[in-house]
Amino acid sequence: MIVFCYRIRICITSYILGGVFMSITVKQLKHVMAIVDNRGYRKAAKSQYITQAGISNSIKALEFILDEKIFETGQATMTPYGKIALPWIRDFVARYDQLNQSLIRLAQGSMGQLHVACVPSILSHCIPPVLDAFKKQYSGVDIAKPI
């Protein structure tokens, strides 16, 4: 580890080499989207419930990791790199949010698959009303048909 540094980049690099791994976070990507959607850092920070300095630092860290500028220095105007990356960022965040919601629903039991096994006489008379009630309550659960 470097004790005294002339540049922050050297310090951060030394930490990376020392075993601390820096990676892109979903929060950083959401900050990029917030700046674009709100057309500025101040409104973006307010929409993300953080300070303007916090969102600015988040973007600086992301730009450091990517080794590319996403926004023009001191502005909310995107660089050519940022403009190309933005659709991918939006797509990734949307997929991440969808995955997050699906995993929560799966853990709560409101999504998944139910396998039913029983004797044929019960299957034809007793099970249909029970399965209908189950489908109404748990519409995200697929019911596998017995063979």
Side-chain angles (χ1 to χ4, degrees), residues 31-49:
H31 290 167
V32 170
M33 291 172 38
I35 293 167
V36 172
D37 294 344
N38 290 286
R39 297 186 179 116
Y41 282 77
R42 185 179 306 145
K43 289 181 182 178
K46 190 174 182 178
S47 75
Q48 297 296 301
Y49 304 103

Side-chain angles (χ1 to χ4, degrees), residues 9 13 23 25 27 29 41 48-50 59 82 88 95 116 120 130-131 140 142-143 145:
R9 189 175 203 139
T13 304
S23 62
T25 66
K27 186 176 279 190
L29 299 178
Y41 282 77
Q48 297 296 301
Y49 304 103
I50 62 172
I59 297 302
W88 291 343
R95 288 173 187 257
V116 179
V130 172
L131 290 181
D142 294 326
I143 299 174
K145 296 180 181 178

Side-chain angles (χ1 to χ4, degrees), residues 17-125:
L17 295 175
V20 176
F21 180 71
M22 294 179 60
S23 62
I24 298 169
T25 66
V26 175
K27 186 176 279 190
Q28 288 170 321
L29 299 178
K30 287 184 177 187
H31 290 167
V32 170
M33 291 172 38
I35 293 167
V36 172
D37 294 344
N38 290 286
R39 297 186 179 116
Y41 282 77
R42 185 179 306 145
K43 289 181 182 178
K46 190 174 182 178
S47 75
Q48 297 296 301
Y49 304 103
I50 62 172
T51 63
Q52 187 173 343
I55 205 163
S56 180
N57 288 336
S58 173
I59 297 302
K60 285 178 188 175
L62 177 61
E63 290 175 337
F64 176 82
I65 292 165
L66 297 172
D67 198 26
E68 287 286 341
K69 291 285 185 187
I70 296 172
F71 294 100
E72 298 293 342
T73 305
Q75 300 177 25
T77 306
M78 296 195 95
T79 62
Y81 177 87
K83 289 177 184 175
I84 292 169
L86 184 61
W88 291 343
I89 290 170
R90 288 192 188 280
D91 182 58
F92 178 83
V93 171
R95 288 173 187 257
Y96 172 83
D97 288 341
Q98 183 180 20
L99 171 66
N100 192 34
Q101 288 302 313
S102 294
L103 290 175
I104 289 169
R105 289 180 56 217
L106 183 62
Q108 293 171 341
S110 60
M111 179 180 177
Q113 191 173 42
L114 174 68
H115 294 271
V116 179
C118 61
V119 294
S121 59
I122 295 177
L123 180 62
S124 62
H125 294 94

